[in-house]
Amino acid sequence: RKEVEQDPGPFNVPEGATVAFNCTYSNSASQSFFWYRQDCRKEPKLLMSVYSSGNEDGRFTAQLNRASQYISLLIRDSKLSDSATYLCVVNRGGNTPLVFGKGTRLSVIA
Amino acid sequence: DGGITQSPKYLFRKEGQNVTLSCEQNLNHDAMYWYRQDPGQGLRLIYYSQIVNDFQKGDIAEGYSVSREKKESFPLTVTSAQKNPTAFYLCASSPLRDSGNTIYFGEGSWLTVV
């Protein structure tokens, strides 16, 4: 089992739709979690950290379920500019390097 | 402006040649990383360094070498021993004391073997 797994997609959704991505991780000792966004042929950029209580930033909501070892990202009212690959990232702790999922590709269609 | 600078952005290499990709950061970050990304694939860790004059192998270190003589700099050499070097190379850094070790990336370098 891969340490961080994501559905690769692509998810093709119309503008204004709500879309959710899930990510599972295998190491129960993992301590912190992030969602990164990567545009085509660009570097990944931090979208948001994921906190145990869940957190929201505008149209984006991230949730963490430690018991089931999964993280989710919800995007409401999708925009064309949301089209990108979304990377789930996990920190095992102890200053070890972050572990990246392979990403889920989203295409928002007019 | 603070950030991570990679150069060159595009590089063509003949088979059998070594090439060095530069990575400089002025964020005063302790840790630096090199990742490789192939088309449609995720990021794979090549090498990382958490302190000057020390570095660790990642998942795919064979055919690569690094040095960390200064905190700001972490160059990556792609040697002729790397059989399939054509890829997108990303340098990153993080402040180890930061909660969760958030990582920041440079703009990447595209290496093509011709």
Side-chain angles (χ1 to χ4, degrees):
Chain A
R1 181 183 175 190
K2 290 191 174 62
E3 190 160 357
V4 178
E5 292 204 69
Q6 297 182 248
D7 183 339
F11 285 54
N12 299 315
V13 303
E15 271 187 291
T18 295
V19 60
F21 307 135
N22 285 332
C23 165
T24 58
Y25 61 95
S26 61
N27 187 339
S28 60
S30 298
Q31 296 188 352
S32 51
F33 310 88
F34 310 91
W35 284 102
Y36 276 70
R37 170 193 169 127
Q38 185 175 24
D39 292 295
C40 188
R41 300 176 69 84
K42 299 284 191 181
E43 76 276 21
K45 293 184 178 177
L46 178 66
L47 179 65
M48 57 198 305
S49 301
V50 186
Y51 303 119
S52 296
S53 54
N55 48 303
E56 189 173 308
D57 182 2
R59 297 181 294 107
F60 298 83
T61 300
Q63 296 274 357
L64 167 63
N65 184 319
R66 284 191 184 272
S68 301
Q69 294 181 207
Y70 79 80
I71 308 140
S72 64
L73 177 68
L74 182 78
I75 305 175
R76 290 181 298 279
D77 188 23
S78 300
K79 311 291 184 192
L80 294 176
S81 58
D82 293 334
S83 298
T85 296
Y86 291 85
L87 305 173
C88 173
V89 185
V90 172
N91 181 358
R92 299 189 205 110
N95 288 333
T96 56
L98 298 177
V99 182
F100 286 78
K102 290 191 173 183
T104 298
R105 192 152 60 92
L106 171 67
S107 291
V108 181
I109 304 161
Chain B
D1 284 348
I4 303 168
T5 302
Q6 288 187 239
S7 63
K9 191 168 179 68
Y10 300 97
L11 183 61
F12 296 87
R13 187 195 94 172
K14 291 184 180 178
E15 284 194 32
Q17 284 183 337
N18 292 356
V19 293
T20 297
L21 306 180
S22 168
C23 179
E24 304 277 332
Q25 55 100 358
N26 60 5
L27 301 168
N28 198 32
H29 285 173
D30 298 298
M32 296 187 74
Y33 311 83
W34 275 105
Y35 290 88
R36 168 182 172 143
Q37 189 174 35
D38 293 280
Q41 302 297 315
L43 277 69
R44 292 186 289 169
L45 182 65
I46 304 172
Y47 270 99
Y48 66 101
S49 166
Q50 297 184 336
I51 195 170
V52 174
N53 291 323
D54 188 42
F55 47 83
Q56 309 294 328
K57 291 183 179 180
D59 301 315
I60 55 164
E62 185 176 348
Y64 299 97
S65 66
V66 292
S67 63
R68 186 91 186 273
E69 296 177 2
K70 298 185 300 182
K71 187 176 185 178
E72 302 79 19
S73 179
F74 192 41
L76 173 74
T77 296
V78 185
T79 75
S80 55
Q82 171 49 237
K83 297 304 177 193
N84 296 295
T86 296
F88 185 40
Y89 289 88
L90 286 158
C91 178
S93 69
S94 68
L96 287 180
R97 292 189 180 85
D98 184 31
S99 169
N101 293 353
T102 308
I103 194 170
Y104 302 89
F105 287 90
E107 293 188 344
S109 294
W110 292 90
L111 173 62
T112 303
V113 172
V114 295

